[in-house]
Amino acid sequence: MLDDLDDIHPLFHGAPSSASFKKLRKRIVRQTREAIDQYGMIERGTRWLVCLSGGKDSYTLLAVLHELKWRGLLPVDLLACNLDQGQPGFPSTVLPEFLEKMGVEHRVEYQDTYSVVKDKVPAGRTYCALCSRLRRGNLYRIAREEGCSAVVLGHHRDDILETFFMNLFHGGRLATMPPKLVNEEGDLFVYRPLAHVAEADCEKFARDMKYPIIPCDLCGSQDGLQRQQVKQLLDQWEKNSPGRRQVMFRSLMNIRPSHMLDPKLFDFAGLMRGSVKFEQIDTEIPQLR
């Protein structure tokens, strides 16, 4: 059914007919649907605010969600939203024109958070934390104004992995971006439907579809970011051992509190002899040879 070019959403018009692209598309759609189902994102009849930055990831997110909705697999309304943060030289007409052409319901909001970030962040420091905080606050406000139940972001598998290692190396904790959470006020969900999708797949998909990519010239122009360093490390691991990223990602879905060190997650003090079978441990710890 995914190969039938007569019944696809306009976001897929002009899609390459090659077998490799069809395989890529099916994989992204399948992985997105798996994440939506696995993490219980669907509330029938609700409305999602789909955040669109103009990058490869958010274009992929927008297209795949509309594909799922087009096929009756996502019973929610979708509202695309771009927050124009006032960055100098930002091509403000690109996204509105694209969304109009694709027939996608949307809202474009202008808020000059760029000036705030430049004013508040000391020279030599990265902008990401404050920029993200200001952006998220505005998106929550817009979601409420539009009657949306969820803010939907384009973070993919590699974003989640990089955040995990940033927390491990620099934050002293085991944590990452969850596929689903509730905001601090408790009135909105935050979803990441691309949680299982590889960054390379997003990049290839958006490039093959010739979507008008807009680079981030605020934080993307800064050198020496911790995230860039982690990305380079993961790239090297992947180069040395192909498939390593996916193995590491699976580990985030296979956590065993009794084999970690956090007494808040496992009652080590209350553990008694005879309560753990040795053969269970043997299957989890490789034997030394």
Side-chain angles (χ1 to χ4, degrees):
M1 189 174 183
L2 287 176
D3 295 334
D4 187 350
L5 298 181
D6 294 328
D7 66 347
I8 57 177
H9 189 274
L11 283 164
F12 285 91
H13 287 174
S17 58
S18 66
S20 62
F21 179 82
K22 291 178 181 179
K23 183 177 180 180
L24 170 68
R25 175 186 166 194
K26 288 179 180 179
R27 180 167 64 249
I28 294 175
V29 170
R30 171 177 53 79
Q31 291 173 338
T32 303
R33 186 182 181 189
E34 285 175 353
I36 289 173
D37 291 342
Q38 183 172 8
Y39 298 105
M41 298 181 188
I42 293 179
E43 291 180 292
R44 288 181 175 272
T46 56
R47 197 180 199 200
W48 288 6
L49 188 76
V50 183
C51 301
L52 190 65
S53 67
K56 65 183 185 308
D57 310 327
S58 61
Y59 277 121
T60 301
L61 173 69
L62 182 72
V64 174
L65 292 183
H66 275 85
E67 173 77 4
L68 291 171
K69 181 174 174 59
W70 182 262
R71 304 210 176 270
L73 301 174
L74 186 63
V76 302
D77 291 329
L78 301 174
L79 175 66
C81 177
N82 172 250
L83 180 64
D84 183 343
Q85 297 179 260
Q87 294 172 226
F90 182 80
S92 58
T93 62
V94 170
L95 283 171
E97 291 175 357
F98 173 81
L99 294 168
E100 288 286 349
K101 180 181 178 181
M102 295 296 109
V104 173
E105 184 182 1
H106 63 278
R107 172 172 170 175
V108 176
E109 174 98 358
Y110 178 81
Q111 290 290 331
D112 186 9
T113 63
Y114 176 85
S115 297
V116 176
V117 171
K118 294 286 286 186
D119 180 63
K120 299 294 184 183
V121 177
R125 301 289 296 275
T126 58
Y127 303 137
C128 297
L130 180 57
C131 179
S132 177
R133 195 156 58 244
L134 294 173
R135 181 172 63 249
R136 191 69 58 88
N138 278 290
L139 292 174
Y140 287 167
R141 172 183 56 80
I142 295 168
R144 296 183 185 106
E145 292 173 358
E146 296 290 346
C148 297
S149 65
V151 172
V152 186
L153 307 175
H155 295 128
H156 45 65
R157 180 200 69 180
D158 297 79
D159 287 325
I160 292 174
L161 264 180
E162 290 162 14
T163 301
F164 171 80
F165 281 103
M166 287 174 65
N167 280 316
L168 176 67
F169 296 151
H170 304 288
R173 61 182 179 273
L174 297 181
T176 189
M177 299 183 294
K180 176 182 179 180
L181 61 84
V182 178
N183 66 336
E184 292 182 359
E185 294 79 7
D187 64 332
L188 293 169
F189 283 115
V190 176
Y191 295 150
R192 297 181 172 95
L194 298 183
H196 294 175
V197 179
E199 180 179 18
D201 282 353
C202 293
E203 183 173 6
K204 189 175 190 311
F205 178 85
R207 184 178 65 247
D208 288 352
M209 288 303 305
K210 297 181 173 58
Y211 292 143
I213 305 299
I214 302 173
C216 176
D217 295 325
L218 179 60
C219 57
S221 63
Q222 293 181 283
D223 295 325
L225 296 179
Q226 293 175 350
R227 186 172 292 274
Q228 291 176 350
Q229 296 169 0
V230 169
K231 182 184 290 290
Q232 292 170 2
L233 179 64
L234 295 178
D235 285 344
Q236 188 60 48
W237 285 348
E238 184 72 19
K239 180 180 179 180
N240 294 339
S241 302
R244 182 57 53 89
R245 268 192 171 94
Q246 185 59 24
V247 172
M248 290 187 292
F249 181 77
R250 285 205 307 269
S251 72
L252 298 179
M253 305 169 65
N254 187 24
I255 298 170
R256 301 180 180 181
S258 65
H259 287 61
M260 301 299 286
L261 282 77
D262 191 341
K264 296 187 296 296
L265 297 180
F266 187 81
D267 184 15
F268 293 99
L271 186 64
M272 304 296 291
R273 287 188 296 275
S275 60
V276 178
K277 295 182 180 179
F278 288 106
E279 58 266 24
Q280 291 179 335
I281 297 179
D282 290 340
T283 61
E284 296 165 356
I285 303 177
Q287 295 180 357
L288 297 178
R289 296 184 183 273

